[in-house]
Amino acid sequence: MVGVYGKRLAKEIISTHFGDLVAKVCNCLLQSGTLSLHEIVRYTDMPGSHVKNCLLILIQHNCVQAFCTPRKGSTDKTVTLYMAIFDNIINRMRFSKFLSLIKGGDLAPKDSQTKEGQCKYALLKGILQNGRLTFEQLVERSISKEQQTDRVQEKHQSELRACFNELVRSHYVERCPRPEPFIYPDPEDQPKPTKRRGAKTAEQPLSLEQQAIEAATLAESERFSEIPESSVERTGDGIVNHSPATGDKRKHETLETDLDLLVAIAENEVLWRANFEKLLYCLRTKICAENVRSRLGDDAGVVFEAIMEANAEKKIKATIVIATFDGILNNLSGSMTLDGVRTILDELDCKSATDKLEAIYSLDLNATLEACKNDEIEAVVKARYGDQGYKIFRLLSTKDQLIETDRIAEITFMEKKEAHQMLYKLWRDEFIDIKKVPSQGSGESASISLWRLHRKPFYQTLLDDIFHAALNLTVKISQLVEKQHEILEDDMKNLLKRKFILQLSLLKLDDSLMLFHDF
């Protein structure tokens, strides 16, 4: 559940990128949930035409998903509903991170020096900036930047298609979801929650919004289907280098016509967008690998990245990564021995198995993600409460059990009164939890205070604080941007320096936001 500051941050991002009117419509969906066009017009008190234009902009940039449901009290009439996609809105402040990814060499600065690297960088940048584009629009965007002859343009388009298909093959780019899927919201049509054998809780039915997202998502084969080459290009590449017999000539021409039609549809009609799931997967790999390097060394970080790259299903929410030993070796660069790789796999607590004479390793990311979160939390606690608060928090985090006040003071070498005051501050800010138990051999009113780290509510509290800090930074950056048009040139250098520092702080804070919200 997204808190107040998270929604205000999303509104501020939309306001910065698209203006106040679009932000007003988006904020209406964030605050009120899924609404129809008529309801949005009534809540925002805006003209219907303005609301439609705002919704089109939000849909174009993947911030809103539309879907159809039966109208209440009618079986043959439908109504179109609109829902804001909060995660996609937040992803808009990560475009610079997406473009600076070095994993796989697709967007690496080193690779961007080559012509192919610059091409892929420009394609992904164009899609991120414009939300949804056809391949033809991407080509026109590239050609408009430089004067080229028709022959050069054809060659340039072929090179762009090759780079674009590589982005699709690597799942950095995907086909857009269905525009308005039809959903049956009637509870009678939904399957009842089922309880699996041995499961403690029953599976909860999907909400209307979750059903809409699933219905809009294309099948994997269609979602990452590449743009085929035309018959002319296939002939030029030597793929079609034979002359058909006289009896087969008509059939051959028909097949070429069908192929060219598929190419024309894929280039001119199919809309493409960035695949945030794969991009976030790469960012998660990068953050976790840095943590592994700090704990286990550089070689362990390299092996960890190789495991993540060899993983077949690159899902952002998946915590179990499965990779074959050969796949891990293929993604390793350097002179590491087989025994050295196996040793690091053991240090990473990878579980091994054999399937059809092939070694398979599974890695549980929960331990690494928890280590990353603990590092962030301890840094916050130390900055806010000093060394004493840090020692107490570190003790409770390590023990992960109820500990008495006197025992905490003894272990941390603190006075009992100071320890109790610090514990109360941590409890007041919802960092820790308290449990009072009756004291044996004392009066009825006497009790002992036991303390422990209660992670779930604490994580939510910290996440709200991160959203609040990100909101303040975003607002401050927007204010500096507005001042750029008002101040003198002598003060511009100082303003740009302050703006740069705030932007770097926001990027750093976003690493913590991804840890506690996206990963």
Side-chain angles (χ1 to χ4, degrees):
M1 184 67 182
V2 180
V4 176
Y5 292 116
K7 294 177 181 179
R8 288 176 59 185
L9 173 62
K11 177 189 175 183
E12 184 65 28
I13 292 172
I14 294 298
S15 178
T16 302
H17 290 187
F18 306 115
D20 293 336
L21 288 180
V22 180
K24 187 176 182 180
V25 173
C26 184
N27 185 57
C28 178
L29 293 174
L30 288 169
Q31 299 295 339
S32 304
T34 302
L35 298 172
S36 66
L37 177 62
H38 179 71
E39 291 171 329
I40 299 173
V41 171
R42 186 169 75 250
Y43 291 162
T44 59
D45 196 23
M46 292 171 56
S49 58
H50 291 182
V51 173
K52 285 183 180 179
N53 291 334
C54 293
L55 287 172
L56 287 175
I57 292 173
L58 292 170
I59 292 173
Q60 168 71 22
H61 290 273
N62 309 297
C63 299
V64 164
Q65 174 66 50
F67 61 95
C68 297
T69 61
R71 189 182 296 273
K72 290 183 179 180
S74 176
T75 57
D76 56 346
K77 294 183 179 180
T78 62
V79 59
T80 302
L81 300 178
Y82 301 90
M83 55 177 284
I85 306 177
F86 175 81
D87 290 344
N88 284 2
I89 298 174
I90 298 299
N91 283 332
R92 295 194 60 81
M93 68 179 187
R94 298 170 180 154
F95 285 176
S96 60
K97 288 186 177 181
F98 294 154
L99 290 173
S100 63
L101 284 172
I102 61 174
K103 187 61 181 171
D106 283 329
L107 304 173
K110 180 179 179 181
D111 185 46
S112 63
Q113 299 301 320
T114 65
K115 187 176 181 180
E116 182 181 358
Q118 292 174 354
C119 177
K120 287 183 284 187
Y121 184 93
L123 287 171
L124 185 57
K125 184 178 180 180
I127 292 177
L128 288 173
Q129 289 179 342
N130 295 277
R132 302 181 177 193
L133 290 177
T134 64
F135 179 73
E136 183 184 27
Q137 290 172 327
L138 284 170
V139 173
E140 292 176 354
R141 181 178 180 274
S142 177
I143 292 177
S144 63
K145 295 181 179 181
E146 40 186 284
Q147 299 293 330
Q148 297 176 339
T149 63
D150 293 341
R151 187 177 183 84
V152 174
Q153 287 183 9
E154 291 179 4
K155 183 180 179 181
H156 183 61
Q157 181 171 350
S158 179
E159 293 174 350
L160 285 175
R161 184 187 294 108
C163 294
F164 185 81
N165 280 338
E166 189 170 342
L167 288 174
V168 176
R169 199 178 306 119
S170 302
H171 292 189
Y172 285 104
V173 174
E174 64 178 357
R175 297 192 182 211
C176 289
R178 298 179 182 89
E180 293 184 12
F182 188 82
I183 306 296
Y184 291 94
D186 190 352
E188 296 180 358
D189 297 333
Q190 298 181 11
K192 295 181 179 180
T194 57
K195 187 175 181 180
R196 297 181 180 177
R197 182 177 299 176
K200 296 182 179 180
T201 58
E203 293 182 359
Q204 297 297 324
L206 297 177
S207 65
L208 186 63
E209 289 76 11
Q210 290 172 328
Q211 292 183 61
I213 294 296
E214 282 199 358
T217 303
L218 302 175
E220 194 83 359
S221 57
E222 183 181 1
R223 184 181 172 192
F224 300 108
S225 178
E226 302 174 22
I227 300 176
E229 291 183 330
S230 65
S231 58
V232 176
E233 291 173 325
R234 291 170 66 87
T235 304
D237 294 338
I239 299 176
V240 182
N241 54 8
H242 61 278
S243 299
T246 305
D248 296 336
K249 185 175 182 180
R250 183 174 301 173
K251 181 179 179 180
H252 180 73
E253 291 176 351
T254 302
L255 291 175
E256 286 187 347
T257 303
D258 293 342
L259 177 62
D260 292 341
L261 179 61
L262 290 175
V263 173
I265 293 174
E267 289 186 349
N268 305 329
E269 297 183 13
V270 175
L271 288 171
W272 302 85
R273 68 175 188 177
N275 180 16
F276 290 136
E277 187 174 26
K278 172 61 185 287
L279 294 167
L280 286 174
Y281 180 90
C282 293
L283 289 178
R284 182 177 69 166
T285 300
K286 184 178 179 182
I287 291 174
C288 290
E290 291 176 357
N291 181 271
V292 170
R293 284 190 180 93
S294 65
R295 292 186 292 112
L296 303 176
D298 292 339
D299 289 342
V302 173
V303 174
F304 179 87
E305 290 181 333
I307 297 172
M308 298 295 288
E309 186 64 24
N311 180 29
E313 295 186 3
K314 296 178 172 59
K315 302 295 184 182
I316 185 61
K317 293 296 184 181
T319 56
I320 304 297
V321 178
I322 300 175
T324 63
F325 188 68
D326 291 339
I328 296 172
L329 294 178
N330 291 336
N331 287 285
L332 285 175
S333 58
S335 57
M336 295 182 63
T337 62
L338 296 180
D339 291 339
V341 175
R342 291 192 178 95
T343 301
I344 293 175
L345 290 173
D346 291 336
E347 292 177 352
L348 292 171
D349 294 329
C350 294
K351 297 180 180 180
S352 61
T354 304
D355 183 22
K356 297 179 182 180
L357 302 179
E358 189 174 30
I360 298 177
Y361 286 86
S362 61
L363 172 64
D364 188 353
L365 292 179
N366 283 320
T368 304
L369 289 173
E370 284 298 323
C372 294
K373 291 178 181 179
N374 283 337
D375 289 346
E376 294 292 331
I377 294 168
E378 290 173 2
V380 171
V381 171
K382 191 170 185 178
R384 187 178 297 182
Y385 303 101
D387 292 336
Q388 291 183 342
Y390 171 75
K391 287 192 292 184
I392 292 176
F393 184 87
R394 177 83 174 175
L395 172 64
L396 295 175
S397 176
T398 304
K399 296 293 184 182
D400 197 19
Q401 63 183 13
L402 291 168
I403 305 178
E404 188 183 355
T405 304
D406 293 347
R407 183 61 177 162
I408 293 174
E410 180 183 347
I411 296 175
T412 56
F413 301 101
M414 294 173 60
E415 295 292 336
K416 183 179 177 180
K417 184 178 179 181
E418 294 178 353
H420 188 272
Q421 290 176 349
M422 184 57 65
L423 285 166
Y424 178 76
K425 288 181 181 179
L426 292 169
W427 170 77
R428 182 188 58 193
D429 294 340
E430 299 183 356
F431 280 78
I432 60 177
D433 196 14
I434 184 175
K435 181 179 181 181
K436 292 185 178 291
V437 297
S439 177
Q440 296 179 356
S442 301
E444 295 182 357
S445 61
S447 62
I448 298 176
S449 298
L450 301 176
W451 309 85
R452 73 176 301 171
L453 184 64
H454 202 29
R455 294 183 182 275
K456 193 171 183 179
F458 162 67
Y459 281 174
Q460 184 60 45
T461 301
L462 183 60
L463 180 60
D464 290 339
D465 291 342
I466 294 173
F467 275 128
H468 193 183
L471 172 62
N472 291 338
L473 286 172
T474 305
V475 171
K476 190 63 178 177
I477 292 171
S478 300
Q479 292 174 351
L480 291 179
V481 171
E482 293 178 358
K483 287 183 179 180
Q484 287 184 211
H485 307 288
E486 302 173 0
I487 64 173
L488 301 175
E489 293 185 4
D490 296 338
D491 300 327
M492 181 65 70
K493 186 176 180 180
N494 185 36
L495 184 144
L496 292 177
K497 184 178 179 180
R498 291 168 57 195
K499 176 185 170 184
F500 180 72
I501 293 173
L502 291 175
Q503 288 174 335
L504 288 181
S505 301
L506 183 59
L507 288 175
K508 180 61 178 176
L509 185 64
D510 182 53
D511 290 342
S512 302
L513 179 58
M514 287 190 291
L515 274 175
F516 292 96
H517 177 71
D518 298 281
F519 302 162

